[in-house]
Amino acid sequence: MIKKIYEKLNNILSVYIFGNPNRFNYNIFNFFYRTIICKNNKKNEKINDLVKNGYFKGSKASKEFIDLIRENIINKKDIDKKTTEFLHQDKIENKKKNIAFNVDPSFRNKIIEFIKTDFKDDLLALENYYNNKISIAQIQVKRNLPLENKEYYNKYARTKEFEIYSNYYHVDFYVNTHLKMFINLQDVKKEDGPLHIYSKPSTRKFIKKNKYKNRNNYQCKELDGLYVNSGMVGETLFANTTECLHRAGIPEENHHRDILFISFIVIPEKFDNNKSFLDYYDKLDQNVVWSHNNSNVVFKTKPKRLKDTFNLFKKYYVSKMI
Ligand SMILES: [Fe+2]
């Protein structure tokens, strides 16, 4: 009972003061991180977009990077046609509508090297903004397929059971030192079910106008501020999914969306040198970074209690670069 009241109060205060449905203590953390630790370089347009809207279009992934993933992970059967059965074992199917592809260890280092080179400038700008080193926390290659009973998804109230791939509007329950990147592994058109995201100011409007209570309960009406992340193969989006309402689009019949998701976290540790720490967690434990489930690394930005949230902030403060 007390927990319920606390959660409700937490949510009401968050929406009223910060304009998003994330936890109140996380929003407090975000406020202080932004005010005390962040270094906002106003000359960088991408960082300006991140601060103002909560997302920005990143650099384009190289053709070599996309080909590596398409040929060796998604279209494996094209390379080894005899082993289609193996291909089947090699991916996890969630109700057959959401496929997570396993990434063979032999390709993992190459993928990380591509991320380091292709997005070098974006990642450097982010590190300077967050004023702490950044590492990859999780990498997932996924395919979203059309869902049955499309009308169901327009209902006011829906159950979690039918949310197959984060296709209800939500924010990710982490603090804002958790950042997601979406890389198009194909040309993504409207009918392929692109990511839908609202900027930070539009998130506030969405909550009010659509009577947003939680991800299962709101009026399903898109508003003017919606950003639909369609685009060409290789195009990318960095997003603060902890403060912007977002959902996966649902592909139309005979369409799908192949996407590479990368979660980055700001590392709550002090380093003496200025090299890249992008593979920091991958070096510690590969299984965690490449797993299909939310990993321990990602959970570093999900403190449980108020005290843990404060301690995390303290760590970031002590480790900040300047
Ligand atoms: Fe999400």
Side-chain angles (χ1 to χ4, degrees), residues 66-119:
I66 302 291
D67 288 349
L68 173 86
I69 293 172
R70 289 219 66 93
E71 285 166 17
N72 300 297
I73 295 157
I74 295 177
N75 299 335
K76 210 174 193 178
K77 64 175 186 292
D78 296 338
I79 293 172
D80 190 355
K81 287 193 169 73
K82 283 174 284 179
T83 57
T84 44
E85 229 170 89
F86 171 69
L87 172 82
H88 208 76
Q89 290 167 8
D90 207 32
K91 60 193 184 189
I92 293 172
E93 296 198 37
N94 173 8
K95 296 184 185 171
K96 294 193 170 68
K97 304 294 184 193
N98 182 221
I99 300 167
F101 295 91
N102 279 331
V103 179
D104 190 273
S106 60
F107 298 112
R108 293 177 180 178
N109 283 344
K110 278 186 204 158
I111 291 175
I112 290 184
E113 281 312 309
F114 272 120
I115 298 170
K116 273 188 192 171
T117 0
D118 287 3
F119 313 114

Side-chain angles (χ1 to χ4, degrees), residues 166 168 170-174 180 182 195 215 241-242 244 246-248:
S166 297
Y168 297 171
H170 64 284
V171 294
D172 297 337
F173 281 64
Y174 302 99
K180 281 218 172 95
F182 304 83
L195 168 83
R215 67 196 296 158
T241 53
T242 69
C244 296
H246 62 283
R247 70 171 176 93

Side-chain angles (χ1 to χ4, degrees), residues 103-316:
V103 179
D104 190 273
S106 60
F107 298 112
R108 293 177 180 178
N109 283 344
K110 278 186 204 158
I111 291 175
I112 290 184
E113 281 312 309
F114 272 120
I115 298 170
K116 273 188 192 171
T117 0
D118 287 3
F119 313 114
K120 194 174 171 225
D121 294 345
D122 294 343
L123 293 166
L124 196 65
L126 283 168
E127 278 190 347
N128 289 336
Y129 171 65
Y130 281 107
N131 200 8
N132 266 302
K133 288 286 173 189
I134 286 176
S135 172
I136 294 166
Q138 190 159 37
I139 303 181
Q140 294 176 317
V141 182
K142 284 194 168 175
R143 170 172 293 177
N144 289 353
L145 292 160
L147 302 178
E148 282 145 30
N149 298 327
K150 252 189 133 180
E151 314 76 59
Y152 178 81
Y153 296 101
N154 294 324
K155 288 187 171 189
Y156 201 105
R158 292 146 275 106
T159 66
K160 180 80 192 125
E161 182 196 352
F162 294 107
E163 187 181 19
I164 311 299
Y165 38 67
S166 297
N167 47 292
Y168 297 171
Y169 273 113
H170 64 284
V171 294
D172 297 337
F173 281 64
Y174 302 99
V175 292
N176 71 353
T177 49
H178 177 114
L179 196 78
K180 281 218 172 95
M181 184 186 191
F182 304 83
I183 306 178
N184 290 347
L185 296 174
Q186 62 175 69
D187 289 345
V188 178
K189 302 190 186 69
K190 212 177 132 240
E191 53 271 29
D192 301 317
L195 168 83
H196 288 44
I197 187 164
Y198 282 93
S199 67
K200 286 198 264 181
S202 306
T203 290
R204 186 187 276 275
K205 283 183 201 149
F206 188 98
I207 291 170
K208 207 173 160 210
K209 285 200 171 163
N210 283 338
K211 301 180 180 69
Y212 185 95
K213 290 196 181 68
N214 56 55
R215 67 196 296 158
N216 303 317
N217 197 313
Y218 58 84
Q219 182 178 297
C220 296
K221 205 176 145 209
E222 300 295 2
L223 305 179
D224 278 349
L226 173 66
Y227 180 77
V228 178
N229 187 36
S230 43
M232 304 298 281
V233 60
E235 285 187 20
T236 65
L237 188 83
F238 283 87
N240 171 359
T241 53
T242 69
E243 291 175 278
C244 296
L245 277 177
H246 62 283
R247 70 171 176 93
I250 302 173
E252 288 174 18
E253 203 135 326
N254 302 319
H255 289 270
H256 64 256
R257 177 170 63 125
D258 290 342
I259 198 94
L260 180 69
F261 293 99
I262 307 172
S263 297
F264 294 99
I265 70 160
V266 178
I267 314 171
E269 278 171 58
K270 181 92 181 159
F271 300 104
D272 291 333
N273 58 57
N274 203 23
K275 62 174 192 155
S276 167
F277 287 88
L278 215 58
D279 54 1
Y280 183 67
Y281 292 114
D282 184 59
K283 275 193 180 146
L284 289 180
D285 184 355
Q286 276 218 337
N287 296 325
V288 161
V289 169
W290 300 89
S291 93
H292 295 292
N293 302 317
N294 284 346
S295 68
N296 289 341
V297 177
V298 175
F299 284 140
K300 281 182 190 296
T301 51
K302 202 182 185 69
K304 277 202 183 101
R305 297 163 304 171
L306 195 63
K307 195 177 149 207
D308 303 319
T309 315
F310 179 72
N311 284 339
L312 182 64
F313 181 83
K314 232 167 59 184
K315 276 189 184 173
Y316 281 127

Side-chain angles (χ1 to χ4, degrees), residues 39-83:
K39 293 275 168 221
N40 190 4
N41 175 2
K42 295 221 164 71
K43 283 183 201 144
N44 189 311
E45 268 181 41
K46 290 180 179 178
I47 297 299
N48 282 340
D49 281 349
L50 180 73
V51 174
K52 191 173 152 232
N53 296 322
Y55 51 81
F56 67 87
K57 272 210 93 98
S59 308
K60 209 173 167 200
S62 61
K63 189 179 175 304
E64 294 76 20
F65 182 21
I66 302 291
D67 288 349
L68 173 86
I69 293 172
R70 289 219 66 93
E71 285 166 17
N72 300 297
I73 295 157
I74 295 177
N75 299 335
K76 210 174 193 178
K77 64 175 186 292
D78 296 338
I79 293 172
D80 190 355
K81 287 193 169 73
K82 283 174 284 179
T83 57

